[in-house]
Amino acid sequence: MSFAKDFSKAMSQAGTSQFQEVIRQELEYSMEVELDKILATAPQNEVEHTKKDLDGFKKLFHRFLQEKGPSVDWGKIQRPPEDSIQPYEKIKDRGLPVNITSVLNKLVVVKLNGGLGTSMGCKGPKSLIGVRNENTFLDLTVQQIEHLNKTYNTDVHLVLMNSFNTDEDTKKILQKYSHSRVKIYTFNQSRYPRINKESLLPIAKDVSYSGENTEAWYPPGHGDIYSSFYNSGLLDTLIGEGKEYIFVSNIDNLGATVDLYILNHLMNPPNGKRCEFVMEVTNKTRADVKGGTLTQYENKLRLVEIAQVPKAHVDEFKSVSKFKIFNTNNLWISLSAIKRLQEQNAIDMEIIVNPKTLDGGLNVIQLETAVGAAVKSFENSLGINVPRSRFLPVKTTSDLLLVMSNLYSLNAGSLTMSEKREFPTVPLVKLGSSFTKVQDYLRRFESIPDMLELDHLTVSGDVTFGKNVSLKGTVIIIANHGDRIDIPPGAVLENKIVSGNLRILDH
């Protein structure tokens, strides 16, 4: 019988705490032995770094063995007190200080840049995918910060948290920004071993992560930012330069730009007491029901993710009426607080157990944490309910179509909704599997359609769009299996359903 089965069987037998403890110790010992074997294969110049990674993983694994069942007691979850989530309008109404330059000089922008573009059919870092006028996510980020630095004569740095998957390609591309007015730093998040779901032991046999060993390692979620940032030495460097806050966001969230009103609220709080942690939240729509939400739990603000919710309460968690807001993952965090908590080993984040099946069919699990989950460890944390425009993630080609269209205008790296759109909501776009990969998607649109008056677009099957197509109201285009639909150049589709077979042939 495997350790994992022994372990779960032991855990389910009441009154066998002694036996559980023996199994736990057994598993920890076996893990220790395996990790020591892996460390022994590290080249001399990588030993120290690898040891830090494996020690971090050991701590996470230890906690994983201690935890049982969902990590929240549903009965203790309460709505946050009124003043713990402030409306953005209230923050904005305070205006801006005269000394905005000196306030900006205390800020560092951190972008989470560990992800690959695989889900959109692209090789390499996701941040290098072109999203608007040939500009990549990274280009837009650099342009935004450069614009800030020039406008206010400041020195806001950009820091990229890379993973071992993205570091090399990102560093190559950074050379092109060497003459821009932005100082760019990078650090790497940890590299942790995936573990076999049955034996709970690492599948890696050595430290290499190329060739057949590629699947043996993973970056452990963005909650790893605190320890990696600290261990890299960069946290201390920035504190030494007089920096006080970081603004952290996902690099694929095009709405996550530096907001001067929020920054002013942090630096000059109305009650004189600074927040160590601010989470930007926004109102849920039906599309966001799975997003993590801020709650009050044991007198602290706490982020609750869907994976932590007991099955019986999942529907309640998804309810838009009870939990009205979700976490955008735009976070403002005090550098000195990160240093203090890191040195006290006091940052507490729930473990996310992420099961994966590898190409060969092997079932593994990876243990991860989320950056926002640390909210409960910081003093005087605050939620700010921001406009939806600050949450514009590009996860799919459907999202890409929106940001490439005339719904948005681009100015100094920032996207803003066009004034010509009569209502501020974003259309619902669902492109079928023929559009999943960026290269297929680009091939199917001769030019991006006019979408200013669009409410809803669904496209399924083998469909292509000619130049200067205009889409209005609700448009549904479905090519059945074996059929093909070519939307002709200049076509205006308003509240239309197109199905069957429509070929436009050149003659």
Side-chain angles (χ1 to χ4, degrees):
M1 198 188 242
S2 73
F3 260 142
K5 281 179 184 160
D6 270 355
F7 183 59
S8 56
K9 189 178 170 190
M11 290 304 237
S12 63
Q13 289 170 348
T16 54
S17 55
Q18 209 173 348
F19 181 47
Q20 289 172 17
E21 194 44 47
V22 169
I23 293 281
R24 247 199 297 264
Q25 286 173 3
E26 196 72 53
L27 276 165
E28 291 216 43
Y29 175 72
S30 304
M31 177 61 79
E32 185 96 34
V33 169
E34 290 302 309
L35 294 178
D36 284 348
K37 283 183 194 167
I38 292 170
L39 184 61
T41 69
Q44 198 53 45
N45 61 336
E46 283 179 31
V47 170
E48 190 185 346
H49 186 73
T50 306
K51 188 174 186 316
K52 270 184 183 167
D53 279 355
L54 296 181
D55 284 348
F57 174 74
K58 236 181 275 185
K59 277 185 196 166
L60 201 58
F61 185 68
H62 173 78
R63 280 181 47 217
F64 164 68
L65 294 182
Q66 303 289 336
E67 292 183 2
K68 312 187 238 335
S71 54
V72 291
D73 175 347
W74 192 254
K76 291 182 180 176
I77 286 183
Q78 297 168 313
R79 275 193 188 165
E82 286 297 309
D83 61 347
S84 64
I85 298 181
Q86 299 271 348
Y88 176 75
E89 292 66 37
K90 191 176 168 187
I91 306 285
K92 193 173 180 180
D93 284 347
R94 295 186 59 217
L96 292 175
V98 184
N99 63 338
I100 198 71
T101 299
S102 61
V103 168
L104 272 166
N105 274 331
K106 306 287 187 193
L107 180 70
V108 175
V109 174
V110 179
K111 293 287 181 183
L112 304 172
N113 184 46
L116 292 167
T118 35
S119 63
M120 292 169 79
C122 295
K123 283 196 168 79
K126 186 175 181 182
S127 56
L128 306 185
I129 295 175
V131 281
R132 184 84 187 213
N133 311 349
E134 307 295 312
N135 288 303
T136 65
F137 290 104
L138 189 53
D139 291 336
L140 295 177
T141 301
V142 173
Q143 286 167 28
Q144 285 164 24
I145 300 174
E146 185 167 44
H147 178 68
L148 259 186
N149 285 337
K150 283 179 176 170
T151 306
Y152 296 100
N153 192 26
T154 56
D155 186 21
V156 176
H157 302 339
L158 170 63
V159 172
L160 300 172
M161 178 166 91
N162 299 337
S163 68
F164 63 90
N165 290 320
T166 63
D167 189 51
E168 203 176 317
D169 290 337
T170 301
K171 279 183 174 158
K172 276 181 200 159
I173 219 87
L174 287 180
Q175 292 163 9
K176 81 181 219 188
Y177 307 117
S178 56
H179 298 297
S180 68
R181 193 173 157 174
V182 183
K183 204 166 182 184
I184 304 176
Y185 296 89
T186 65
F187 70 94
N188 263 11
Q189 65 184 116
S190 309
R191 177 164 70 99
Y192 283 1
R194 283 178 167 152
I195 54 181
N196 184 308
K197 197 178 173 185
E198 292 298 310
S199 67
L200 296 184
L201 292 174
I203 59 170
K205 295 291 169 244
D206 58 55
V207 291
S208 71
Y209 50 96
S210 52
E212 58 190 45
N213 234 1
T214 322
E215 289 196 313
W217 301 90
Y218 71 98
H222 41 56
D224 184 54
I225 185 171
Y226 304 106
S227 56
S228 297
F229 195 19
Y230 180 84
N231 288 339
S232 71
L234 187 52
L235 177 72
D236 281 332
T237 302
L238 295 171
I239 289 173
E241 282 187 24
K243 304 296 181 186
E244 294 182 22
Y245 279 96
I246 51 172
F247 171 49
V248 183
S249 63
N250 298 354
I251 200 157
D252 64 7
N253 178 6
L254 294 176
T257 55
V258 171
D259 186 282
L260 299 178
Y261 298 100
I262 296 178
L263 179 61
N264 180 41
H265 187 83
L266 285 168
M267 298 296 295
N268 305 303
N271 62 358
K273 192 179 176 197
R274 281 195 179 185
C275 298
E276 291 188 344
F277 193 108
V278 163
M279 177 181 288
E280 291 184 36
V281 297
T282 195
N283 292 344
K284 268 187 190 180
T285 66
R286 299 264 169 235
D288 316 305
V289 291
K290 291 184 177 176
T293 194
L294 266 187
T295 63
Q296 177 85 345
Y297 193 91
E298 295 175 338
N299 295 321
K300 283 272 199 182
L301 271 187
R302 177 155 172 170
L303 180 68
V304 175
E305 302 278 2
I306 195 161
Q308 296 162 245
V309 177
K311 280 198 172 58
H313 297 284
V314 165
D315 286 342
E316 196 182 338
F317 174 82
K318 287 181 177 178
S319 133
V320 180
S321 56
K322 181 162 183 180
F323 298 110
K324 292 183 166 64
I325 46 132
F326 72 96
N327 168 29
T328 63
N329 221 36
N330 300 347
L331 308 166
W332 304 74
I333 314 171
S334 153
L335 286 169
S336 58
I338 295 175
K339 181 176 167 69
R340 181 189 79 238
L341 292 171
Q342 198 54 41
E343 287 175 351
Q344 292 169 354
N345 198 19
I347 294 184
D348 177 22
M349 293 172 284
E350 291 74 30
I351 294 173
I352 300 161
V353 180
N354 191 352
K356 298 263 182 191
T357 302
L358 303 185
D359 289 345
L362 182 67
N363 289 322
V364 296
I365 53 178
Q366 45 190 58
L367 305 177
E368 303 176 5
T369 55
V371 57
V375 60
K376 62 178 184 289
S377 301
F378 289 82
E379 292 301 317
N380 205 23
S381 296
L382 180 71
I384 297 180
N385 192 340
V386 296
R388 180 73 186 205
S389 56
R390 291 191 58 73
F391 184 66
L392 188 60
V394 179
K395 302 291 182 193
T396 62
T397 50
S398 300
D399 299 329
L400 196 54
L401 179 62
L402 290 167
V403 300
M404 288 176 101
S405 77
N406 61 346
L407 282 164
Y408 291 94
S409 52
L410 180 65
N411 181 21
S414 297
L415 288 183
T416 45
M417 187 162 293
S418 167
E419 288 173 3
K420 292 177 187 164
R421 178 147 174 103
E422 287 180 12
F423 26 87
T425 54
V426 178
L428 189 62
V429 173
K430 292 178 181 170
L431 299 178
S433 55
S434 311
F435 291 80
T436 303
K437 294 183 174 177
V438 172
Q439 65 204 56
D440 294 341
Y441 152 87
L442 291 172
R443 194 169 44 79
R444 290 179 177 278
F445 287 99
E446 269 197 66
S447 70
I448 303 298
D450 162 21
M451 289 164 48
L452 276 176
E453 294 176 47
L454 180 71
D455 297 323
H456 179 138
L457 173 67
T458 294
V459 184
S460 178
D462 187 359
V463 179
T464 62
F465 292 79
K467 273 194 175 151
N468 305 321
V469 170
S470 189
L471 305 171
K472 303 179 179 194
T474 295
V475 179
I476 297 170
I477 306 168
I478 296 175
N480 294 321
H481 188 66
D483 289 344
R484 173 169 160 185
I485 294 176
D486 294 331
I487 303 298
V492 177
L493 300 181
E494 181 166 7
N495 295 325
K496 286 278 188 290
I497 296 179
V498 183
S499 65
N501 205 349
L502 178 68
R503 297 293 301 269
I504 308 292
L505 302 172
D506 291 333
H507 60 260

